[in-house]
Amino acid sequence: DYGAAKEVFTPMQTILGWNLTYDPENGRAISPVSRQWSAGWGGYVLFDWDTYFAAFMYGLYNRDLAFANAVEVTKGITRRGFVPNCASAYNIQSDDRSQPPVGSLIVWELYQRHQERWFLAEIYDELLRWNRWWPTARDSKGLLAWGSDDVPQLVDGTYHNFQAALFESGLDNSPMYDGVPFNPHTNRLEMADVGLNGLYVADCRALAQIATVLGKPEDARELQMRGSRYAASLNTLWDEKAGMYLNRRTDTGENSPRLSPTNFYPL
């Protein structure tokens, strides 16, 4: 059925099936990023954007598992209002940091494929809380930066430092961030990140569409306005000489010459 894409689809389906796990603690089916990782984390570990991407891949052939993974990772939202970088057995979460805001984008894509309104309604409130969290916790002069709060957590003992902020980026050892200071007073890296701001604008726009489907026009206007505001700020990261968007240091005001695929996210 997948024609020329069969050789790509088959290993993807095989890996998703191999990682499919029943979690008896919560009575649910989930697909952690790796069985090997799960074995060392008490039975399972759900990483934020990895699980949303798994849900998207499931959406190509299994609606129920797509919905299950998207719902479960979203319902793992912390008391402070963000979907955590990771969550494992026994209700252990990374309470200091989130991960790239891809949730609303993936949920909207799944809805367009499967047209189940209840699915949007089930996780809308959590997605909205998460969207509202970013400006309150990660805004630096109108642009978002990766960070980690001074909130101890049991996941890996890493929090409120440079490495924890990189964990929030989902790019745990990217050379993009080499030499960028972590500011313990603001809880953020001293860098406005093109990738984060691009994803956040996409999150606002996708969630506004979800709000419209659910008959929430005031929320949709709020999200559209916030998305437009950050889109305008994102455009200040355009560097005419380089011909692309560049990350910018928030302490020195200098553009970073280090490039990665995330520099193309605004496109």
Side-chain angles (χ1 to χ4, degrees):
D1 293 341
Y2 291 90
K6 182 178 179 179
E7 290 188 0
V8 176
F9 175 80
T10 300
M12 181 192 79
Q13 184 186 45
T14 300
I15 293 167
L16 286 169
W18 173 245
N19 289 334
L20 183 61
T21 301
Y22 176 68
D23 168 23
E25 184 181 19
N26 298 292
R28 59 185 183 172
I30 50 177
S31 287
V33 68
S34 162
R35 279 185 176 244
Q36 287 181 310
W37 279 73
S38 294
W41 291 60
Y44 73 87
V45 55
L46 290 183
F47 292 98
D48 172 347
W49 70 338
D50 303 76
T51 309
Y52 283 116
F53 294 152
F56 178 77
M57 290 187 285
Y58 270 126
L60 298 174
Y61 70 97
N62 191 308
R63 180 200 62 182
D64 291 345
L65 289 175
F67 286 173
N69 277 276
V71 167
E72 292 305 327
V73 69
T74 308
K75 290 294 184 180
I77 193 168
T78 67
R79 289 173 294 179
R80 299 174 59 228
F82 58 87
V83 176
N85 168 196
C86 50
S88 60
Y90 313 113
N91 296 314
I92 296 174
Q93 299 173 306
S94 55
D95 294 323
D96 64 305
R97 60 184 183 262
S98 187
Q99 237 191 349
V102 300
S104 296
L105 191 62
I106 296 298
V107 166
W108 179 244
E109 291 293 328
L110 290 173
Y111 172 74
Q112 289 181 292
R113 179 175 290 270
H114 297 290
Q115 298 290 311
E116 296 280 358
R117 189 177 181 276
W118 71 263
F119 169 60
L120 301 182
E122 180 69 22
I123 49 180
Y124 174 76
D125 289 345
E126 288 85 0
L127 291 173
L128 183 60
R129 284 183 65 202
W130 190 20
N131 180 277
R132 288 170 171 169
W133 173 82
W134 287 98
T136 66
R138 298 292 185 256
D139 187 276
S140 181
K141 302 175 184 177
L143 287 162
L144 300 179
W146 302 114
S148 169
D149 299 332
D150 190 8
V151 181
Q153 42 82 16
L154 299 175
V155 173
D156 55 16
T158 302
Y159 69 96
H160 203 230
N161 57 29
F162 172 80
Q163 186 59 63
L166 263 62
F167 286 157
E168 183 168 81
S169 78
L171 306 172
D172 303 351
N173 56 356
S174 172
M176 272 195 299
Y177 308 116
D178 288 354
V180 178
F182 175 80
N183 189 327
H185 303 292
T186 64
N187 307 322
R188 295 185 293 270
L189 290 180
E190 292 282 14
M191 179 178 283
D193 191 276
V194 170
L196 171 55
N197 286 276
L199 286 176
Y200 186 69
V201 171
D203 185 80
C204 289
R205 292 174 177 173
L207 193 52
Q209 291 176 301
I210 292 171
T212 299
V213 171
L214 294 176
K216 299 178 181 291
E218 291 185 8
D219 287 353
R221 283 193 293 272
E222 171 197 331
L223 290 158
Q224 289 163 352
M225 289 177 61
R226 188 152 58 246
S228 295
R229 185 171 74 250
Y230 277 98
S233 296
L234 175 58
N235 279 333
T236 68
L237 297 180
W238 175 260
D239 185 283
E240 189 65 31
K241 184 178 179 180
M244 66 188 308
Y245 292 86
L246 297 179
N247 297 331
R248 180 177 299 153
R249 289 281 292 267
T250 51
D251 52 346
T252 66
E254 297 176 346
N255 288 340
S256 171
R258 295 193 176 99
L259 306 181
S260 89
T262 63
N263 291 87
F264 293 95
Y265 280 13
L267 301 180

